[in-house]
Amino acid sequence: MGLFSLTKEIAVDLGTANTIIIHNGNIVIDEPSIVALDKRTDKLIAVGKEAQQMQGKEHEGIRTVRPLRKGVIADFNAAEAMIRGLIKKVSAKSWFSPSLRMVIGIPSGSSGVEIRAVRDSAEHANGRDVYMIYEPMAAALGIGLDVEAPEGNMVVDIGGGTTEIAVISLGGIVSNKSINVAGDDLTDDIQGHMRRAHNVRIGERTAELIKMNVGSALTELDNPPEDYVVHGPNQMTALPMEVPVSYQEISHCIEKSISKIETAVLGALEQTPPELYADIVRNGIYLAGGGALLRGLDKRLTDKIGIQFHIAEDPLLAVAKGTGVALKNVDRFSFLIR
């Protein structure tokens, strides 16, 4: 689209942890799903990376909000402010605000009310034509699967708030399971473990860093990461502490949450028709989303379930890329929600 075009086309992966926006086939926004608002007026102060830098450091006049919880909009006004703020960053080079044609990724377990909340937020943010696509379908498109083929493919999309498991065939979702156990729960597990085991208090961002640096689904890894050193206050004395954390320790503390994801995958396979099940055994199961980056997860699931698990080439961007593919094919894809 040129500078003077009246309509701009964008694809949005509205994630619990990160929001990604694609325009003209390029990722133009990849920022945390968080806003900083003025407590008195609810006016937007910062969005994305700038707001994340304020998290945990705000004074009484500022509140930082993650508008999406468990894959759905928990704070409607904050979500609208976030979508507007991020789109404004995309439109910063324009002299005016064009109307938008948007395709937005949503969890497959979304209710009618939740879908309406996303649509309303998008329309208030200047969306003229708003389409939605279920995230597992978008992930399959982003991975490069032929979703319209008469063949079964299973995608497990582990995001920040939800894990979406879907069997896709002939351009539709044949069976799906959406559970509220995902990246945020692993972060919570780590925070709780640090409090109980080491008597040290850490924030959400530090727990996220521990997960990224030494997070593991297995207690034995071929290429183990070095211990990650955590700094924080002792809960009893408030004196500073330095605690080295190993991947084995984190593997034990997130075990329950990983087991729930395993159970959900098995549950989705149980609901799968036999012909499609045979395709899945042959093709393997695809992992997408930030959770797919957890060390050893693909090996653990392969050993447990007996079907080969493949990590998507770029798991963090699979849904966003697929949403971009859907944007180019809005007139052809019948599975888009209007």
Side-chain angles (χ1 to χ4, degrees):
M1 293 285 160
L3 184 65
F4 298 98
S5 174
L6 296 174
T7 305
K8 182 175 271 188
E9 294 189 340
I10 61 170
V12 183
D13 172 13
L14 193 62
T16 304
N18 290 288
T19 294
I20 299 169
I21 298 178
I22 291 178
H23 173 53
N24 282 348
N26 298 313
I27 293 167
V28 289
I29 295 288
D30 182 358
E31 302 210 10
S33 300
I34 186 167
V35 288
L37 302 170
D38 186 302
K39 261 192 183 168
R40 286 178 298 111
T41 62
D42 253 8
K43 194 178 170 192
L44 182 70
I45 295 169
V47 63
K49 288 172 185 164
E50 293 88 351
Q52 188 186 47
Q53 286 168 354
M54 298 178 182
Q55 191 182 17
K57 301 175 183 180
E58 56 271 47
H59 57 71
E60 61 181 23
I62 298 174
R63 67 184 181 108
T64 54
V65 186
R66 286 179 61 187
L68 289 103
R69 286 279 164 190
K70 300 297 177 191
V72 297
I73 292 178
D75 186 325
F76 185 84
N77 292 329
E80 194 180 308
M82 183 183 81
I83 295 169
R84 274 179 181 273
L86 291 173
I87 288 171
K88 205 172 174 184
K89 287 188 177 186
V90 181
S91 306
K93 296 179 182 115
S94 300
W95 297 335
F96 63 96
S97 294
S99 58
L100 300 163
R101 173 183 262 199
M102 306 166 76
V103 177
I104 303 173
I106 56 168
S108 58
S110 299
S111 67
V113 173
E114 288 157 359
I115 290 171
R116 208 168 303 119
V118 175
R119 183 183 301 287
D120 289 349
S121 287
E123 285 174 352
H124 291 160
N126 231 15
R128 182 174 60 90
D129 290 332
V130 180
Y131 299 83
M132 276 165 276
I133 181 171
Y134 287 128
E135 284 169 359
M137 183 65 87
L141 286 169
I143 290 165
L145 303 177
D146 183 357
V147 298
E148 294 178 305
E151 184 175 50
N153 282 298
M154 184 182 252
V155 175
V156 180
D157 175 28
I158 307 169
T162 57
T163 294
E164 309 275 325
I165 305 153
V167 176
I168 293 160
S169 177
L170 293 168
I173 293 175
V174 179
S175 67
N176 75 294
K177 203 166 181 66
S178 179
I179 61 165
N180 291 339
V181 179
D184 286 351
D185 297 270
L186 304 183
T187 304
D188 292 345
D189 291 345
I190 292 166
Q191 273 184 287
H193 171 77
M194 295 303 289
R195 271 198 314 272
R196 289 188 306 273
H198 299 290
N199 217 12
V200 64
R201 200 169 73 245
I202 61 166
E204 196 178 304
R205 284 186 68 194
T206 303
E208 189 74 30
L209 286 168
I210 294 171
K211 183 174 72 180
M212 287 161 68
N213 283 280
V214 287
S216 172
L218 293 172
T219 51
E220 293 296 325
L221 290 174
D222 293 336
N223 296 307
E226 286 183 20
D227 289 0
Y228 183 72
V229 179
V230 177
H231 299 272
N234 183 300
Q235 287 192 117
M236 309 292 285
T237 64
L239 293 171
M241 289 182 71
E242 190 177 278
V243 182
V245 184
S246 69
Y247 79 90
Q248 288 105 331
E249 189 180 338
I250 298 306
S251 171
H252 286 301
C253 86
I254 63 174
E255 170 64 33
K256 269 189 186 171
S257 296
I258 300 296
S259 293
K260 286 176 185 171
I261 293 171
E262 269 177 8
T263 305
V265 173
L266 285 166
L269 283 166
E270 276 173 21
Q271 298 168 12
T272 304
E275 299 296 334
L276 296 178
Y277 192 101
D279 291 340
I280 291 164
V281 172
R282 189 172 63 252
N283 297 334
I285 297 172
Y286 295 88
L287 285 171
L293 296 169
L294 190 69
R295 293 168 186 82
L297 182 62
D298 56 331
K299 186 177 187 313
R300 173 174 170 154
L301 290 168
T302 299
D303 293 347
K304 174 87 176 182
I305 294 168
I307 298 173
Q308 185 64 48
F309 276 73
H310 311 286
I311 299 173
E313 193 178 315
D314 207 340
L316 280 169
L317 300 177
V319 172
K321 284 179 178 173
T323 310
V325 172
L327 179 65
K328 290 177 185 167
N329 295 277
V330 285
D331 303 321
R332 188 166 74 83
F333 287 160
S334 58
F335 48 78
L336 296 176
I337 306 158
R338 275 228 64 166

